[in-house]
Amino acid sequence: MNDISINKRLALIGFGIVLAGLVMALAFPDGLNKVNRQPQFIGVVELAEKIKNREKMRIVDLRDEEAFEEFHIPTATNIPLAEFNPASIDEQLVVYSGDDLLTRRLWNELPDSIRSRTVIVYGGVHDWFDRVLYPKLPFGNEIKNKKLVNQIHDLCQFYGGFSDFENDPDLMEYYEQDLSSASWPKVRRSGGLIRKGC
């Protein structure tokens, strides 16, 4: 290889770069930005406020009908992923599933024109159940954000749930996270969601 001139070496390197570019173009025809583009998430507390305030949006539950009938977010429409045609919806689109696998599949299939007006419920219906309807909230003097605790408790009561209070200020970490740059949550849940109480 020492006998190869500098020009030939540069030509081989250039050819390698062009070949790598061609492979990337074939593997990712829509570009890497589409592959890496993260969705816009909405937290369950923000969604609960929007529903309560009757903001205009279309909430779609992508799970099957049986799971939807068992439990769903108020005002949601059940359209299983296999039947879902987002192009027929012309308003703000909010989608969720049980464990985010269905929403991730949907997101990967959406054209950019629909992605721009679609948000995904962070944590899906399970986070609604655990964080809005039946939240565990801290009490005591160590609470930094009492206003947020009161907001969550009020939303819980509005939607007919109830809060459990524990002496653990770390319970608010979930609610205080910034979802503007969040990536897909690591959620793997199964089992039914059954309303508690009478």
Side-chain angles (χ1 to χ4, degrees), residues 39-140:
Q40 179 181 352
F41 291 104
I42 185 169
V44 291
V45 172
E46 182 182 353
L47 179 61
E49 286 288 357
K50 288 178 178 277
I51 294 169
K52 181 180 175 185
N53 295 331
R54 300 180 187 272
E55 290 187 29
K56 187 172 173 61
M57 64 188 144
R58 178 80 178 272
I59 304 172
V60 177
D61 186 322
L62 298 171
R63 300 173 300 149
D64 62 43
E65 185 178 353
E66 183 180 333
F68 177 80
E69 291 300 327
E70 185 178 284
F71 182 82
H72 60 271
I73 294 175
T75 73
T77 305
N78 179 230
I79 308 175
L81 181 60
E83 302 167 16
F84 187 57
N85 177 11
S88 66
I89 300 171
D90 60 356
E91 56 199 316
Q92 172 77 46
L93 183 58
V94 178
V95 295
Y96 71 90
S97 63
D99 60 8
D100 291 323
L101 292 176
L102 295 175
T103 50
R104 187 181 292 225
R105 278 186 40 206
L106 172 72
W107 182 258
N108 290 333
E109 296 170 6
L110 284 177
D112 284 339
S113 61
I114 296 174
R115 281 184 181 186
S116 64
R117 59 181 173 79
T118 303
V119 295
I120 294 176
V121 179
Y122 190 82
V125 71
H126 287 278
D127 275 15
W128 178 276
F129 189 86
D130 294 338
R131 308 296 184 159
V132 172
L133 209 52
Y134 303 109
K136 287 183 170 51
L137 298 171
F139 69 88

Side-chain angles (χ1 to χ4, degrees), residues 133-170:
L133 209 52
Y134 303 109
K136 287 183 170 51
L137 298 171
F139 69 88
N141 294 330
E142 298 87 35
I143 301 172
K144 295 177 188 141
N145 196 340
K146 290 183 181 184
K147 182 178 177 183
L148 181 57
V149 171
N150 291 333
Q151 176 191 15
I152 297 163
H153 180 67
D154 291 345
L155 286 169
C156 168
Q157 289 183 322
F158 178 82
Y159 289 103
F162 58 86
S163 305
D164 283 332
F165 288 92
E166 298 180 8
N167 192 7
D168 182 0
D170 293 336

Side-chain angles (χ1 to χ4, degrees), residues 158-190:
F158 178 82
Y159 289 103
F162 58 86
S163 305
D164 283 332
F165 288 92
E166 298 180 8
N167 192 7
D168 182 0
D170 293 336
L171 291 171
M172 295 306 292
E173 286 178 7
Y174 168 87
Y175 298 101
E176 295 168 341
Q177 65 186 328
D178 178 14
L179 296 180
S180 64
S181 60
S183 58
W184 289 98
K186 292 179 173 87
V187 180
R188 292 269 188 215
R189 300 181 201 152
S190 60

